[in-house]
Amino acid sequence: FVLSHDLLPSASSELSFSLSNVTLRKVSAVTVPPLSRLRVFLYFRPTIESEEASLLEQSSTTEEAMRFPRKMQVYISCRLVQNYVEVIHVRSICRLAQMAVSSNDLFFGGRLENSSEAGDLEVYPSEHRVKVTNLFAGPLDFAVRSCSDVF
């Protein structure tokens, strides 16, 4: 099956297909064996288009004014069946980030002398501070996710 979408190449937003829901592993075609299933995940990274940026500058900065609807179509076509295309309509409401983070790249390193030794892992830097700022007047709910085995 061939996977595609109708976002223009000139658009600043990105839509990608992946076989993993944890990390992006881009795919554009998949093979599904008979009598089986395959799950494909959409990774959508919206950004403000130029016409939306001009509207944002003109309007007040209320939370309602910072929402932008997006509509797109995802196409799944079969290479074995000529002219077969399944269309999935995708709609979303995107809004500007409510949170500002002082650093988006955190690096921790460590060293363990011998894997058979039980001991404490030395991690450097031992402390790293990240400042989180709420950009809106309303409350900010967030969660921190780590894919590391260390934490």
Side-chain angles (χ1 to χ4, degrees):
F1 293 93
V2 177
L3 309 169
S4 61
H5 56 78
D6 67 349
L7 278 181
L8 298 174
S10 60
S12 56
S13 297
E14 294 178 27
L15 179 64
S16 302
F17 303 99
S18 176
L19 296 178
S20 170
N21 67 340
V22 177
T23 58
L24 175 61
R25 293 187 196 126
K26 290 185 178 182
V27 294
S28 59
V30 293
T31 302
V32 182
L35 302 174
S36 64
R37 296 179 179 188
L38 182 69
R39 190 177 283 190
V40 176
F41 298 91
L42 296 179
Y43 277 76
F44 180 48
R45 191 178 146 259
T47 56
I48 298 175
E49 304 294 335
S50 57
E51 60 272 3
E52 293 169 336
S54 62
L55 286 173
L56 184 62
E57 291 171 0
Q58 296 170 0
S59 69
S60 64
T61 56
T62 63
E63 291 182 44
E64 195 63 37
M66 295 184 172
R67 296 180 184 204
F68 303 101
R70 293 280 191 269
K71 292 181 182 179
M72 64 204 84
Q73 295 179 342
V74 172
Y75 305 105
I76 304 168
S77 56
C78 181
R79 288 187 240 179
L80 299 177
V81 180
Q82 188 176 21
N83 298 327
Y84 175 80
V85 177
E86 184 76 28
V87 180
I88 301 172
H89 300 278
V90 180
R91 294 184 312 209
S92 67
I93 296 178
C94 306
R95 46 185 251 178
L96 292 178
Q98 183 178 353
M99 177 173 69
V101 181
S102 62
S103 174
N104 63 355
D105 186 22
L106 301 176
F107 175 77
F108 288 93
R111 181 174 185 168
L112 189 59
E113 291 296 328
N114 187 345
S115 62
S116 63
E117 289 181 15
D120 294 333
L121 175 67
E122 274 189 46
V123 178
Y124 53 87
S126 61
E127 183 178 307
H128 189 96
R129 294 185 184 267
V130 177
K131 182 178 179 184
V132 177
T133 307
N134 185 358
L135 301 176
F136 292 166
L140 170 67
D141 296 322
F142 67 95
V144 177
R145 177 180 173 189
S146 172
C147 295
S148 172
D149 294 333
V150 178
F151 298 108

